[in-house]
Every structure is written in C-alpha cells, then in structure tokens.
Amino acid sequence: MPRPPSPSIPEKEFVYGALKQSLRLDGRGMLEMRTPTLSFGPELGWVECAMGKTRVLAQVDGKMVKPPPERPLEGMITIHSELSPMASNEYEPGRPTDEEVTLTRTLDKVLRRSDAIDKESLCVLAGQRVWHIRLTIHVLSNSGSMVDCACLAGIVALKHFRRPEVEVEGDEVTIHHPSERAPVPLSMHHTPFCLTFAFYPDADTPPLLDPSHLEETLSAGLLTVALNAQRELCVVQKAGGIPLAPEDILKIMDIAVTKARELDKLVEARLQEDWKGRHVEVR
Amino acid sequence: MTSVLPGENVPAQHVNLKLGPGLLQQTSVGGTSAIVSTRAGEVQHSANRSRWWIEGNSRRYSPAPQESVVGVVVSRSGENWRVDIGSAHMATLDGLAFEGATKRNRPNLKVGSLLYARVSLAHKDMEPELECFDAQTRKSEGFGELKGGFLVQCSLKMCRLLLDPQHFLFPLLGSRFPLESAIGMNGRVWVSTKDPRQVIAIARCIEAVDPDGGGMDEAAVKKFLTTLDV
C-alpha cells in the first residue's frame, strides 16, 4: 500500500479537542519526551535506539581510503539512510517520500555539517590515506519522531565506535588489529541532539514535544531543533507549516536546552555502563 | 497444543469435519485430500473433534464473509464508496446498502467518515464488499456511520477477546463510566464517551491488555486505572 489514507474525521476531531485540554493519547505531558532506550551490539559502533515504539538501528564502519585531491587533509564521513517498508507501510523502496528526504537532509545537517566529528583527526597520511567513516541508519519502526530517534542513534553510534590504531613511519602506514593495540575513539567536537516540536492550527493549543505518529500526521507544522548540552544551536529546521511568532520560538529553545542536557546525561551514563561490561583490553 | 506454520499438514479427521479460520482442504490429483494450515499459530479443536481451527495473532486483516469491521471512507466511485478496512485491497460499499436507502434518499457520507459494516463478499483475489445492513431483514442492526468518539488500533486477537462477553476489560471499564463501542474484527475499535480522559484511558488499557503489548491481567488493569484520573 503506497499511501495510507489520512486519519478519519472522528480521530481528527478527538485529537484536536484533547490537545486543546493538553491531553495526549499516550498520557504524556505536552512537553514530555519518551525516554530513549539504548542497546549496544556485540560490535563497537552498533546501537539500537528505541523511543516508545519508534526504533532505529545505527552502525558505524571505518576504512582507509585515498582522499580526493581538493581535500587532502580531511577524513570523509558518509551517512546512508534508506526507509524500507519495514518502518511503515507508507514507504516503498526506491521511491523517496517527503519524509525520507527530510530524514536524509536532517541527518546530514546534524551529524556531518555541524562538525560533530573532527575530520582533520581522521587524516593519517596527508594526500594518501584518510579514514572514511560510514554511518548506516536503518529505521525499524516509525511511530513518530523518527528523525529525533535516528539522530540520537547516529550520534551515540559515532561515540561508541572505536577505530583501529594506526602507526605512521615516514611513508609507511601500519594498521594495528584491535587484538594488538586497543582501538581509539573518534575525536568529537560536540554531541548534538535533535528535538522535534509539533504545532497545531488552533491558537490555544501549545506546542508538543516528540509527537507520536498520529500527532505528527495531524499537525499543522513541525519545528526541528538540534543543539548540544553546551547551549550551542546547530540546526533549526522548519519546512513549511503554520507561521510562528518569535516568542514561541524562543520559548521552544529554552525547553530544548533543558531536554538536551537531560539527553546528554542519559547518553553518557549508558555509554559508561556499556564500556564497563566490555572486554576491549589488550593482554 | 501444537504450533504450526503455514503449509503444514494438520491431522484433522471426523465424520462431520468443519474447518475454521486458518485451515484449508487441498485435494491432490490422486483423490486424497489433506488438511493444510494457512496461518501460523496453535491448532485447536472442539471437544468432540469435529471443529478444528488455528488460533494465532497478527495485525494484518484478511477479510472473511459475515465479519463486522470498522472502515474509513476513502473516496467515492460513482454510486459506491471505497472504504479502507486494513486489508490488502480497498473494500467497496454500495451507496444503497443502508437501511431505508433509495435512489433519492441516500446517507450523506464524507471522505474520512467511520463506518461499522459487515463483509458480504470476500475472495482472496477480489476486492471485498461491505454492506451496512442485514441482508435478510434490511434493517441496520447497529451498522452504519459512527459519529464522534475515537478509533483505537489493536491486534486481531485482542479484538476477538474484546468481542467475547466473558472477557473482563469492557465490563470493568463500563462499570466506572458509560461508554459506547463498536469492535471491528479488523483490529479497529471505535469508542465514545463523554470525557476525552476516559477515551484516553480506554485506549491505553486496550494497548496494555493486548497480547502483543504485554497482556495485562485484570488486577494489573485495576491498578493501572487508579493511576489515570477517571
């Protein structure tokens, strides 16, 4: 089924009426996010992020390549994300929907262009060898806020990943296997987190954080904000939708800052927990 | 109880054998017939072994005749309405298949209306057909447009449990506040109450009791209801 029909009239009227009274269908508060659950795989750089029923899998892989001549001193990062019918029955392989394009562009802006990873540290031998880091995102299930979940999974996977240690002697490059020398984490400048807010046509309805699938479909506008825990704004994305007043946007930013701090603490705690349980030691 | 996958032979033998959902009789060339399962689940039979069926769970609906379903009107094609019931094909509903409908006097449905209808025709390669009345008596018998309220989606096994009068959930909820509901065999339940909080409570309870989502029992539901303010 390429496109499911839009929600029925009773569903629409009920959701608008309930949101006017600040009641959400899953009992959350208007600005309450679903707590993300992060599970790490056996390999380093394999993360599954679940926010309620929305689940995204991210995997990071690295290999050494020759850099392009116009940028000989920087490493390369590519992000691959494709929505399959596994995520929802609205998506067909090979035919990108608007949502898919939004996902690819947001991931690109938040993870690549915000300079989250230090590309110069990925250079091994100038002009000859650099690291090419590949991040693959699989959306397993879309139940709203797919972009937030994908960005979180991506950034945690990049923090979780360890690349093999490399030794350079003159023009010779030796890659050490992880069993010989402990692998090295990627050098990251900051950790951006993505948050989506939904707006509705009725002026009395306040904005919602982390909309579910039905809330997203019935919204009149979506605002995506990416920032890190140090109060630095990375991306603000609003593609169409109803116009917003400057005061509304500033209020949203304040809320987003608090949430980003909470997410940062959660991610750090989970990464520490996982690292303790792992054996990446060298004899 | 044995679990089977689609395509496995089921040892069902009786003089008056009746096959229920999920079983198919395949006659091979030599004249021997075998009973084969078409769904994944547990094989169950009645006490005297005359009725056999497969008890499984899924979320995708396959239409079967004489089942009541909740559908959403998608578009109009001439005199007929095209209705989405969650199956692989859209269903067709004749514009005159309502109680007391004549060519001049038709029900006023819009795109996006919810309907409670019965599947009158369902073959696996054809579009299913619906009707909003009882074909014998020509009376609505509860079918027709559903106004107001909200639609909750659940698994197919959950809506079969909700249709069972012995199941605890709706009597428990109904004892706390008045509610109206229409349960479709296609995994959709329409509920309507006075207060939106009550509808939200019903939706969350249905999701919690659903075998897919945890399968809460009666005591846990009672505790859960005290946390919601209804």
Side-chain angles (χ1 to χ4, degrees), chain B residues 2 7 12 17 21-22 49 52-53 55 62 68 77 79 83 95 100 107 112 154 158 192 199 209 225 229:
Chain B
T2 44
L17 187 62
R49 299 178 80 94
W52 291 69
W53 69 93
E55 189 82 41
S62 308
S68 320
S77 58
E79 271 192 20
V83 179
C154 60
M158 183 63 193
S192 173
V199 170
V209 177
L225 278 174
D229 49 338

Side-chain angles (χ1 to χ4, degrees), chain B residues 63-212:
Chain B
Q66 310 312 321
E67 287 190 347
S68 320
V69 292
V70 173
V72 182
V73 174
V74 173
S75 67
R76 187 184 188 161
S77 58
E79 271 192 20
N80 304 330
W81 297 96
R82 305 208 68 207
V83 179
D84 164 52
I85 54 174
S87 59
H89 305 283
M90 297 274 174
T92 324
L93 170 66
D94 192 350
L96 294 172
F98 290 83
E99 180 182 349
T102 60
K103 284 217 169 112
R104 303 250 174 103
N105 171 22
R106 258 188 250 255
N108 183 18
L109 291 176
K110 292 200 280 279
V111 171
S113 320
L114 272 182
L115 294 171
Y116 195 52
R118 173 163 40 207
V119 179
S120 58
L121 187 72
H123 287 295
K124 89 180 151 78
D125 301 310
M126 266 167 61
E127 278 190 2
E129 282 180 28
L130 306 175
E131 59 188 11
C132 270
F133 60 10
D134 187 337
Q136 313 302 86
T137 67
R138 299 236 127 205
K139 288 225 188 291
S140 69
E141 305 287 341
F143 296 116
E145 190 180 350
L146 299 165
K147 295 204 171 104
F150 185 65
L151 188 68
V152 181
Q153 311 247 5
C154 60
S155 67
L156 300 187
K157 183 142 190 200
M158 183 63 193
C159 53
R160 273 180 255 143
L161 286 174
L162 286 175
L163 279 168
D164 180 6
Q166 310 288 339
H167 189 71
F168 69 88
L169 186 61
F170 272 1
L172 173 63
L173 292 169
S175 66
R176 299 181 85 130
F177 44 79
L179 72 93
E180 217 187 318
S181 73
I183 305 172
M185 295 281 289
N186 54 345
R188 297 180 187 182
V189 180
W190 173 85
V191 288
S192 173
T193 64
K194 287 211 185 73
D195 191 5
R197 259 176 272 257
Q198 293 165 349
V199 170
I200 293 177
I202 300 177
R204 291 181 75 187
C205 285
I206 292 182
E207 231 181 81
V209 177
D210 195 328
D212 269 354

Side-chain angles (χ1 to χ4, degrees), chain A residues 84-145:
Chain A
S84 71
M86 185 163 48
S88 172
N89 62 356
E90 306 163 9
Y91 307 127
E92 260 175 22
R95 198 199 289 185
T97 53
D98 280 346
E99 273 197 41
E100 194 171 338
V101 171
T102 316
L103 175 67
T104 315
R105 290 176 60 178
T106 312
L107 280 171
D108 194 54
K109 281 192 249 186
V110 173
L111 297 176
R112 233 164 50 99
R113 299 212 283 185
S114 69
D115 267 347
I117 302 186
D118 182 9
K119 288 211 258 221
E120 288 186 358
S121 70
L122 295 175
C123 177
V124 177
L125 195 57
Q128 303 285 326
R129 282 263 173 274
V130 297
W131 281 104
H132 176 189
I133 302 290
R134 266 183 333 188
L135 170 65
T136 311
I137 302 266
H138 297 279
V139 179
L140 301 175
S141 159
N142 178 14
S143 184
S145 277

